[in-house]
Amino acid sequence: MLNEDKIKLMTKMAMYADSPEGKEAIEASKFFKHDYLARKIIWTEICVTLAYIFMIFIFAILKMETMVTDIADMNFTSIAVILVVVYIALLFVFFMFSYTFYGKKYIKCRQSSAEYSANLKKLNNYYKSESEIEDDDVFTV
């Protein structure tokens, strides 16, 4: 027997599970908040590190002629200190950004997945009520 409410609920759930928001919410619901944040922050810090290395490499290529001609006058210690301080500052800024952004995102995903979970419970109740009706019909002769 087809139940129109059950079909609507299943369609709504399938559309949610296939959407990018739904996939992300379902993925986030597999983790505790601390684990989710740690994973996202580590990924952000890796990307920041790679981007910083890439930017230094590009800058060095662009300034190669100046660097070669002035190599005797360069103070490599101060350059290294500046590069490290800028890198640490970038890591800190992106850490704070990631922590706040992904913290809010996790809360939003958990709320969204809570609605999905409630719909799963409704669907499970539909199936339980159908199986009880079928069990009663089997024994009635």
Side-chain angles (χ1 to χ4, degrees), residues 24-55:
E24 189 170 2
I26 291 169
E27 181 67 27
S29 68
K30 295 178 184 178
F31 297 98
F32 291 110
K33 184 176 182 179
H34 176 75
D35 296 333
Y36 179 79
L37 286 175
R39 189 170 159 233
K40 293 296 187 178
I41 289 170
I42 288 170
W43 180 247
T44 300
E45 300 300 325
I46 289 170
C47 290
V48 167
T49 301
L50 293 176
Y52 188 70
I53 291 169
F54 182 71
M55 287 180 354

Side-chain angles (χ1 to χ4, degrees), residues 11-78:
T11 305
K12 180 180 176 183
M13 290 172 57
M15 288 173 51
Y16 175 78
D18 288 340
S19 71
E21 177 189 339
K23 288 178 184 177
E24 189 170 2
I26 291 169
E27 181 67 27
S29 68
K30 295 178 184 178
F31 297 98
F32 291 110
K33 184 176 182 179
H34 176 75
D35 296 333
Y36 179 79
L37 286 175
R39 189 170 159 233
K40 293 296 187 178
I41 289 170
I42 288 170
W43 180 247
T44 300
E45 300 300 325
I46 289 170
C47 290
V48 167
T49 301
L50 293 176
Y52 188 70
I53 291 169
F54 182 71
M55 287 180 354
I56 290 172
F57 180 72
I58 294 297
F59 181 77
I61 288 174
L62 291 174
K63 298 293 183 175
M64 185 66 70
E65 184 178 342
T66 307
M67 288 172 38
V68 169
T69 57
D70 297 338
I71 199 160
D73 299 332
M74 287 184 171
N75 186 356
F76 290 106
T77 307
S78 64

Side-chain angles (χ1 to χ4, degrees), residues 59-113:
F59 181 77
I61 288 174
L62 291 174
K63 298 293 183 175
M64 185 66 70
E65 184 178 342
T66 307
M67 288 172 38
V68 169
T69 57
D70 297 338
I71 199 160
D73 299 332
M74 287 184 171
N75 186 356
F76 290 106
T77 307
S78 64
I79 292 173
V81 168
I82 290 170
L83 289 176
V84 169
V85 167
V86 169
Y87 175 68
I88 291 172
L90 276 174
L91 284 180
F92 179 74
V93 167
F94 277 94
F95 171 82
M96 296 306 292
F97 174 75
S98 297
Y99 185 81
T100 56
F101 178 78
Y102 288 117
K104 290 177 183 178
K105 192 170 196 174
Y106 180 81
I107 291 169
K108 182 181 172 189
C109 286
R110 289 297 289 189
Q111 289 170 347
S112 178
S113 65

Side-chain angles (χ1 to χ4, degrees), residues 115-133:
E115 293 174 21
Y116 183 75
S117 183
N119 287 338
L120 280 175
K121 287 179 183 178
K122 283 183 191 176
L123 188 62
N124 190 26
N125 290 337
Y126 279 126
Y127 282 117
K128 281 184 180 178
S129 64
E130 284 181 1
S131 69
E132 289 173 0
I133 291 172

